[in-house]
Amino acid sequence: MTELALVHLVRRVNGIGPLERFIASYRAHAAGVDHELILLCKGFPGGRLAEDHAQLLAGLPHRLFFVPDRAFDIGPYFAAARRYDFRYFCFLNSFSRILGDGWLAHLERHARASGTGLVGATCSCQSFAHSHEGRSVVDRMRHVATAGSASLMAQRAGSWVLGSVGLWRPSRHFPEFPNYHVRTNGFMAARELLLRVRVPPLPFKLSAFMFESGREGLTAQVLAMGLRALLVDRRGVAFDKEEWHRANAFRQARQEDLLIADNQTDAYERAAPPQRAELSRLAWGPHARSG
């Protein structure tokens, strides 16, 4: 039996497009290591895939694990880790796309290295506290107005209101820059470690942000265990956290060494030069190198 599970989140409300793009990239790029594909099917009524989703998977070996549409990506990830007895898990979110051959073997090789706890395809030093505190009223209104959904708009507006009355201060929950964290769009860890990680309730998007990059978040917990958190690029080169900025991966240069893309890396690619420079600065501070 293989020791490695590849877990990809499939959310019904996202439609067929993200799954089409993931499957196309999965078929196009050899993983380079034996594994089992598990599709986390989120929010599908009756525990059945829609017909168009099922057709995409024809002839592709996989398991299906149905979960309710709650707890964002993190809750289902850790539900899968509890459910299945694989030694290692690689998690990819709904919008993830593979960009290079041997990608899974690259991640696994470094995940198995002594002293390593967490490996990711994209990492950042961005501080949520630095990015959100001190914003002007116009900036805050723009942040609310550009939310991609009504629920996210409500959550952003709610955080603004709570912040205005002193009940929500990001600096309490997020470290200052450099806030080292592995992004959860694509990461790998041992099951033994995942079962040690404390996962809080995740009722709001802010809860998910706190788990990804907060003071008590995933990377913070792994580092507190005395383990390394590595960024792995398309060439299979791994970087320790103090060297993450050297990789031309997440929001650096033209992202030419990016291993796994997602909607955030796509946004950087599409951005005009001034906006791209700002995104790079937020992620890497004085080490920013926008393309």
Side-chain angles (χ1 to χ4, degrees):
M1 177 181 174
T2 179
E3 293 187 322
L4 174 59
L6 169 61
V7 180
H8 175 65
L9 187 70
V10 182
R11 193 174 180 219
R12 182 183 64 83
V13 298
N14 290 339
I16 194 68
L19 181 60
E20 286 179 327
R21 291 186 286 274
F22 167 73
I23 293 297
S25 72
Y26 181 74
R27 293 183 186 274
H29 297 291
V33 65
D34 187 34
H35 65 281
E36 187 157 343
L37 175 63
I38 300 174
L39 298 176
L40 272 176
C41 304
K42 189 179 184 190
F44 287 84
R48 294 185 59 187
L49 282 182
E51 183 61 29
D52 55 353
H53 287 67
Q55 289 176 357
L56 273 179
L57 303 174
L60 188 67
H62 65 277
R63 296 192 198 188
L64 300 178
F65 180 26
F66 290 90
V67 294
D69 193 4
R70 59 174 180 261
F72 301 95
D73 299 350
I74 301 302
Y77 288 167
F78 281 82
R82 292 189 295 270
R83 170 80 172 268
Y84 296 106
D85 189 19
F86 291 89
R87 187 173 180 187
Y88 289 90
F89 283 83
C90 178
F91 297 103
L92 303 184
N93 76 7
S94 301
F95 298 102
S96 295
R97 303 186 319 282
I98 300 154
L99 298 181
D101 291 342
W103 64 280
L104 193 57
H106 293 331
L107 293 171
E108 186 207 31
R109 182 175 73 256
H110 293 294
R112 288 181 178 270
S114 177
T116 299
L118 192 63
V119 298
T122 59
C123 303
S124 176
C125 293
Q126 184 169 351
S127 169
F128 194 95
H130 176 75
S131 303
H132 287 74
E133 290 191 348
R135 279 185 166 184
S136 68
V137 171
V138 172
D139 283 344
R140 289 181 179 273
M141 290 177 66
R142 185 181 298 114
H143 183 63
V144 172
T146 55
S149 67
S151 62
L152 183 55
M153 184 179 292
Q155 289 183 38
R156 288 181 177 181
S159 67
W160 180 9
V161 172
L162 291 174
S164 299
V165 297
L167 297 178
W168 162 249
R169 289 189 61 82
S171 59
R172 294 176 184 169
H173 304 283
F174 297 89
E176 292 296 321
F177 183 94
N179 176 23
Y180 299 110
H181 60 277
V182 174
R183 296 182 63 245
T184 55
N185 74 306
F187 70 98
M188 183 183 291
R191 182 174 188 261
E192 182 274 333
L193 179 143
L194 294 168
L195 296 182
R196 292 168 59 192
V197 171
R198 301 181 305 279
V199 183
L202 299 163
F204 306 114
K205 188 66 174 177
L206 284 173
S207 312
F209 289 148
M210 289 167 63
F211 184 79
E212 182 174 77
S213 64
R215 294 183 184 277
E216 302 296 327
L218 173 62
T219 304
Q221 291 187 51
V222 170
L223 295 177
M225 295 176 192
L227 299 172
R228 300 159 74 198
L230 302 178
L231 184 156
V232 178
D233 73 7
R234 195 182 308 182
R235 301 166 298 159
V237 177
F239 299 82
D240 276 300
K241 66 183 193 301
E242 294 84 3
E243 301 295 323
W244 286 350
H245 64 272
R246 294 178 51 219
N248 290 332
F250 182 67
R251 293 181 177 174
Q252 281 288 61
R254 298 183 181 276
Q255 301 185 141
E256 55 265 43
D257 293 327
L258 183 64
L259 185 63
I260 298 171
D262 70 287
N263 52 344
Q264 296 300 317
T265 63
D266 291 346
Y268 177 86
E269 293 283 353
R270 293 191 302 265
Q275 287 72 43
R276 188 180 296 174
E278 175 64 7
L279 290 171
S280 186
R281 185 192 67 79
L282 287 171
W284 305 113
H287 299 295
R289 292 180 284 101
S290 61

